[in-house]
Amino acid sequence: MMKKRGPVPIGNVVADLLSRRGLGRPQAATEIEKIWSEVVGDAISPMTRCGKINRQQLNVIVTNSTIMQELVFRKQEIVEAFNKKAEGNLIKDIRFRVGRSPSP
């Protein structure tokens, strides 16, 4: 027998819908950065800066094209390790671009 539910606040409905579509913000920026650092290691992490996760795509700024090429070669491995550490399928892809050096 199903229980009848009362009205649900619209904010809860929207948040649930966004989360299901991968548009929600499941992890704080600092948590994303922490997971990223653990996955890529201490040698590469200082030369990168994570952006936001948008539609299951992690945006990452790198200091130079050499580092970007290394990360592109390891992309699938990084995606799998990132999701394992995050305990969920947060990302399906990573977009790298060369930009300014990360702030210390």
Side-chain angles (χ1 to χ4, degrees):
M1 186 168 164
M2 287 184 77
K3 292 182 181 180
K4 289 193 175 189
R5 292 176 42 181
V8 177
I10 189 71
N12 293 357
V13 173
V14 172
D16 185 47
L17 178 63
L18 289 174
S19 179
R20 287 182 190 185
R21 297 281 184 200
L23 302 173
R25 189 169 176 200
Q27 299 286 332
T30 53
E31 185 67 21
I32 292 169
E33 192 72 44
K34 179 183 172 208
I35 293 169
W36 175 258
S37 295
E38 291 173 9
V39 169
V40 297
D42 294 335
I44 293 178
S45 179
M47 296 180 273
T48 63
R49 182 177 59 223
C50 285
K52 296 179 180 177
I53 295 175
N54 186 18
R55 296 185 179 181
Q56 293 187 308
Q57 181 181 54
L58 176 61
N59 295 294
V60 178
I61 300 172
V62 298
T63 57
N64 60 60
S65 59
T66 306
I67 297 301
M68 184 168 78
Q69 190 66 35
E70 171 69 25
L71 293 170
V72 168
F73 285 137
R74 295 180 47 206
K75 185 190 285 191
Q76 190 57 40
E77 168 194 336
I78 292 169
V79 168
E80 290 170 8
F82 188 96
N83 286 331
K84 186 175 180 181
K85 288 222 181 260
E87 298 178 359
N89 289 325
L90 290 181
I91 63 173
K92 288 184 179 179
D93 193 24
I94 304 172
R95 178 177 171 250
F96 300 105
R97 69 180 175 94
V98 177
R100 282 196 207 166
S101 297
S103 304

